[in-house]
């Protein structure tokens, strides 16, 4: 699952990190998959979570 060619965009790497975390993978495994350090993988997953929360908030506002 790692991306040795570095072809993942930042958002794809962030989304992958969050998805792998949600599936119970360790930060070491996630870091290897997204070609980052474990700490950077945690931060990437957090950014993906934040983007998802922002998107949900914008959709909620549109409903009213």
């Amino acid at each position: 699952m790692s991306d040795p060619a570095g072809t993942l965009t930042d958002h794809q790497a962030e989304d992958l990190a969050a998805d792998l975390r949600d599936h119970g993978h360790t930060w070491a495994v996630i870091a290897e998959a997204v070609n980052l350090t474990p700490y950077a993988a945690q931060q990437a997953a957090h950014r993906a979570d934040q983007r998802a929360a922002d998107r949900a908030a914008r959709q909620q506002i549109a409903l009213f």
Side-chain angles (χ1 to χ4, degrees):
M1 282 183 82
S2 65
D3 184 35
T7 57
L8 288 177
T9 66
D10 288 341
H11 284 186
Q12 288 172 326
E14 291 167 358
D15 291 343
L16 178 58
D19 187 50
L20 291 172
R21 179 210 52 214
D22 291 346
H23 284 91
H25 292 277
T26 65
W27 287 113
V29 169
I30 296 168
E32 184 177 332
V34 295
N35 199 26
L36 296 170
T37 65
Y39 178 75
Q42 290 176 353
Q43 296 302 307
H46 175 71
R47 285 189 299 273
D49 292 342
Q50 187 61 52
R51 273 196 334 275
D54 292 344
R55 189 177 323 114
R58 283 191 306 273
Q59 289 174 350
Q60 185 68 25
I61 291 169
L63 293 175
F64 291 102

